[in-house]
Amino acid sequence: QMTQSPSSVSGSVGDRVTITCRASEDIGNWLVWYQQKPGKAPVVLIYGATTLQGGVPSRFSGSGSGRDFILSINSLQPEDIATYYCQRVNDFPVTFGGGTKVEIK
Amino acid sequence: EVQLLESGGDLAQPGGSLRLSCAASGFTFSSYAMNWVRQAPGKGLEWVSTITSSGDRTYYADSVKGRFTMSRDNSKGTLYLQLSRLRAEDTAVYYCAQYRGSSTRTSDYWGQGTLVTVSS
């Protein structure tokens, strides 16, 4: 079970946005963050809870271990409008969180 | 260039069956585990199943266990998902994805998805 919060968040361009993901058990650092834009397949942002995937802008960062994890977007940009998902990958089932929709004010 | 192309999505009746396919190219298919992930209309992502690179092991979400069967043909570079005893709640876009299960455990490449609609 992966619980994401909030379910939606709105920020102005340039704002810092944070998304939280809580696991129902200790998953170490086995957490992946994805970004999904409407009508598109998901894209990997962060793996190992904190490691930025190649080609992903440095304004994205991940932190946490164990049960609690955070995805941060520093200086929100219009192209960051999307839904963000965490996924536990320590063992099967590799469950996704419910998603967080990020919007621009 | 890695490409994953799903096919087989269609309208099916409750209790019916479908077989989805995913044709892979641009990478050594037999070296990678693969995933199926689905997304119901307007809803979030749901992991469905994973198969190891050799096909010797499969893993399923509880919601599909006993009804869906994942398989692969490494000689053809193709992944399959057999859907049986379909329910309305199986209506979704089904994505296949390459899975780096032995390293980052990320799905780096995804197909465009194929729509399964279960309705009478």
Side-chain angles (χ1 to χ4, degrees):
Chain A
Q1 187 89 348
M2 301 298 291
T3 303
Q4 263 184 260
S5 60
S7 57
S8 66
V9 61
S10 181
S12 300
V13 173
D15 279 355
R16 177 184 171 93
V17 170
T18 60
I19 298 167
T20 297
C21 182
R22 168 164 281 190
S24 57
E25 60 182 10
D26 187 339
I27 62 170
N29 66 345
W30 290 108
L31 187 95
V32 179
W33 288 100
Y34 291 89
Q35 176 194 65
Q36 186 182 33
K37 296 184 177 180
K40 301 292 187 181
V43 172
V44 176
L45 294 177
I46 287 167
Y47 63 89
T50 61
T51 303
L52 201 65
Q53 178 82 326
V56 173
S58 59
R59 63 180 178 275
F60 292 93
S61 64
S63 63
S65 66
R67 292 185 59 197
D68 294 306
F69 303 88
I70 295 173
L71 173 69
S72 299
I73 310 174
N74 290 303
S75 189
L76 186 68
Q77 299 300 306
E79 59 266 33
D80 300 334
I81 301 313
T83 301
Y84 294 81
Y85 296 91
C86 62
Q87 185 191 25
R88 56 166 271 178
V89 292
N90 62 311
D91 198 0
F92 292 100
V94 288
T95 316
F96 287 93
T100 297
K101 188 173 184 179
V102 174
E103 298 172 310
I104 295 280
K105 281 181 186 173
Chain B
E1 179 192 5
V2 172
Q3 289 194 330
L4 297 167
L5 185 62
E6 302 96 337
S7 60
D10 204 346
L11 174 64
Q13 293 205 333
S17 299
L18 280 176
R19 189 174 85 155
L20 307 183
S21 299
C22 170
S25 62
F27 66 102
T28 305
F29 182 68
S30 60
S31 295
Y32 289 86
M34 297 293 293
N35 285 336
W36 285 101
V37 175
R38 68 184 181 182
Q39 187 166 35
K43 301 296 184 182
L45 301 172
E46 181 186 12
W47 169 76
V48 173
S49 60
T50 299
I51 191 167
T52 55
S53 56
S54 65
D56 63 337
R57 281 171 289 157
T58 51
Y59 305 88
Y60 298 95
D62 285 346
S63 58
V64 306
K65 200 173 293 182
R67 300 188 300 121
F68 291 7
T69 303
M70 189 176 186
S71 61
R72 64 192 297 160
D73 186 334
N74 284 346
S75 68
K76 295 182 178 179
T78 304
L79 182 71
Y80 303 100
L81 187 67
Q82 178 70 43
L83 288 63
S84 303
R85 293 158 49 200
L86 283 163
R87 305 168 179 167
E89 54 265 35
D90 296 320
T91 294
V93 173
Y94 285 72
Y95 295 99
C96 66
Q98 184 198 71
Y99 186 52
R100 294 180 175 268
S102 59
S103 56
T104 59
R105 300 191 187 177
T106 53
S107 293
D108 291 353
Y109 297 98
W110 299 61
Q112 85 293 342
T114 188
L115 178 62
V116 171
T117 304
V118 182
S119 175
S120 55

